[in-house]
Each structure stands twice: as C-alpha cells, then as structure tokens.
Amino acid sequence: MSANAAIPETIGASATRNTQLRNAIKGAVQAEIEAFRDQAIDLSHRIHGMPELGFAEFNSSREVANELRAAGFTVTERAFGLDTAISAVAGAGSFKAIVVAEYDALPELGHACGHNLIAACAVAAAVGLKGVAEQLDLTVEVLGTPAEETGGGKILMLEQGAFIGADMAMMIHPAPFEDASPGFLASTGFSFEFSGKSSHAAASPWEAANAADASTIAQVAVGLLRQQLPNDTRVHGVVTNAGSAANVIPGRSAGVYGIRAQTLADLEDMVPRVEACFTGAALAAGCTVELEWELTYPNVVQSPRLASLYQQNAEALGRSFPQDPEARAFRASTDFGAVSQVVPSLHPHVKICDSPVSNHQSAFTEAAASERADHALIEGAIAMAWTVVDAALSRIDSADDRGR
C-alpha cells in the first residue's frame, strides 16, 4: 500500500453538502479537548517531572494508561509483549486512526526531546475524537510506544502485530519550528568494544596492545571518511570507556556510534564503510573489535495529503508555517519511520521555543514544560484530531460519491 493510499485526493461533491456537519464535528472535538486542557497539561508535567529511559517508562506509561482509562477507553497495558507499551481503543468504526504516544527520556537531560508533550498531545487528541467516533465510523487507538530514543519500540510492536489494519497513523513532535512534513533520516547504530592487552605505561609499554589507541584511530578514520560522504549523512558517536589510570595502558575501550542517511539504501551503502573504520583500527592497534548493531530506523514517508490537511487545520488555529531553511536543514531519526513504511502516516513538528534552543539540549528540557509548550500541546492536539476528522470524512464522502 502506498503511503497515501487510504486518504482520497478529493473530498467529493458531498463535502459541500456536509460542510456544516464537518464544522459541527470539529467544534465538538475542540470543545472536548479544551475541557480536557487541565488534565492534558498536568499529564505532560507529571511525565516531564519523572523522566524514564527507554523500556523503563513504568510510571509514565501507567500515567498515560490511567488517563485514557478514566476517559472511557479500553486499555491494555504491557501490550504487544513490551512491559511499557499501551493500547487504548475507543469506537468500533471501519476507519481506524492510530494516534501515537511516546514517553521515554534521555540520559542526564531528561525530557530534552519533549516526549512528555507527545504523550499528552496524543491522549488529548484521542479524548477529543472519542465523542465523535460513531458519527465518523471511526475506531481511534492510542498506542503508547516505548524506547524511541534507543531501542525501536515501534519496530518491535510492528513485529508483534501493532498498527495492523490502520488507515492512518499520526503523532506530533515538539521542536523550535513549525513544520507539517519534516524530513527524517534513516538511521542505525552500534556499540563497539576494542580488546587489547593492558600493561604498565612506563615499565613495559611494549607488552601492551593499546585499546584506547584503537578508539582514537577509529575516530580519526571516521573523521576522514566524512569528507567523502554525501550530504544529509551523519556519523557521530562517543567513547564511553578508554582506561582509568594514566600509568596503565588500557586493554579495553568502548563506545557508541550512530549512522544516518537520507534513505535506507544510502544507509546500507554507508554501513560497511563505517564498519571498516573500526575493523581497520583494531588491526592497526593489534586489538580485536566487537560491534553490536542496533535496530535500523527507516526514513519517514510523510503522507502529502495528511500533511496538507494538518497544516490547514493548524493554520486555522493561528499557527504559521514559514519556509524556514534552518528548519528544513534539521535532521533527526525516529522509529516512526518503520510505521510510515506500511501505514499512511504523518509526523509534524509543533513549535514550542525559538532557535538557538533545540532538541537534546538542557534548555529544551525547560522549554518542554513551559507555558508556551502547554499552549502548543492543546493546539497540536486539536490540529491532529481535526486531521483525523478530515481524513475520516474524506473517506465517507468519497464512498457516498461512488454510491450515487
């Protein structure tokens, strides 16, 4: 199925007939979300105040589950074989819309990517849609997905049957800019460990095989490789262990690296070249190396139709989408890319702060619990819910047109 197959390109003649109904449904959705404002903001702040790493979001996932259960959703915790995954369903219609929540945080920085807002926005949008599910012939499902930062929770959930039968999937992500259809790079990564031989740095250095040197050689090789890589590719990493005493030549060093590219095909071309930097470094330093690869995140395939609907809805709420080259140059990766390969999908950015503050900075952690972020949370939830309304009604209108 193409990434836009379930969303008709035209609403159909009956759309004009149903404009009042469409507006009435959107008004009802907005009223529900506005009535839920305090709970949504409180949920965002609670998750923000207890940052948890991937696959350990026990408190955060429970807060999301409890909020949805209280709103009348049928909630399954520990869904799809993951301890901190959630499925919450309302409605029983033939059009199935999945709203995605994330809630994992970053080491040391906490919610510097604003996943507290993603979770609360998903819950608020779903609450708004629940009351109109019957009118829209809609099933709305919130999927709480763990370990987006590292671990690929959505990929694991896909393998266990999540997202099956969905007509669309959507989530919204905070950023320092507004973008209805941002680009996301394909990515993968690996941990590495060089093993050599320790020795006294002064008494018998010739007995050593210096694993710290191997890490340095690998880093230099990667740095030289970057000049020959295509635009919009990234190789980045850290050495996490390279010895602990100046008078001991280290026999072990370790670290983590990531690789990103425009597409999966580009990524596959890069992987052996980066891997060679590490195997070559091991050979040069007289060490061995082990690489443990992570799950691969595909690039996101954004639905143009959903992006157009979302931007129109967000603009109707007063949000603006300037053509910002800086925003377009922003490149990240997400396991939502795997979802977008099989379900018509949208992953827009909503602005909560101004540049130079950006994701994965401590200043962004503060921004994610600001009054400005709270405002963006509610407007983002309304725009997302309205997009589901438009998509569902477009399908209904087109079916009406075909039936006449």
Side-chain angles (χ1 to χ4, degrees), residues 173-184:
H173 200 297
F177 52 83
E178 215 75 52
D179 196 337
S181 184
F184 287 88

Side-chain angles (χ1 to χ4, degrees), residues 59-150:
N59 293 313
S60 299
S61 62
R62 189 178 304 114
E63 293 286 346
V64 171
N66 289 342
E67 206 68 62
L68 288 164
R69 191 178 288 111
F73 284 73
T74 300
V75 178
T76 302
E77 296 183 68
R78 303 185 69 174
F80 302 101
L82 298 178
D83 287 343
T84 55
I86 299 165
S87 169
V89 179
S94 63
F95 186 88
K96 184 177 182 180
I98 292 180
V99 184
V100 178
E102 296 174 357
Y103 27 66
D104 60 316
L106 290 158
E108 299 181 7
L109 290 171
H111 279 289
C113 211
H115 291 190
N116 58 300
L117 291 163
I118 297 173
C121 190
V123 171
V127 167
L129 289 166
K130 178 179 178 292
V132 298
E134 185 174 352
Q135 288 172 278
L136 294 173
D137 188 27
L138 173 68
T139 298
V140 58
E141 180 177 16
V142 179
L143 285 180
T145 60
E148 186 275 336
E149 295 292 351
T150 56

Side-chain angles (χ1 to χ4, degrees), residues 167-238:
D167 292 285
M168 63 175 288
M170 189 172 177
M171 59 178 290
I172 195 166
H173 200 297
F177 52 83
E178 215 75 52
D179 196 337
S181 184
F184 287 88
L185 300 175
S187 71
T188 189
F190 60 91
S191 58
F192 67 86
E193 182 172 340
F194 289 105
S195 297
K197 182 181 178 182
S198 298
S199 187
H200 196 290
S204 53
W206 53 85
E207 297 288 347
N210 193 325
D213 281 356
S215 287
T216 300
I217 294 167
Q219 288 178 295
V220 171
V222 168
L224 293 171
L225 173 64
R226 286 191 181 104
Q227 183 181 350
Q228 281 69 242
L229 294 178
N231 292 335
D232 289 326
T233 59
R234 303 286 188 270
V235 185
H236 45 83
V238 293

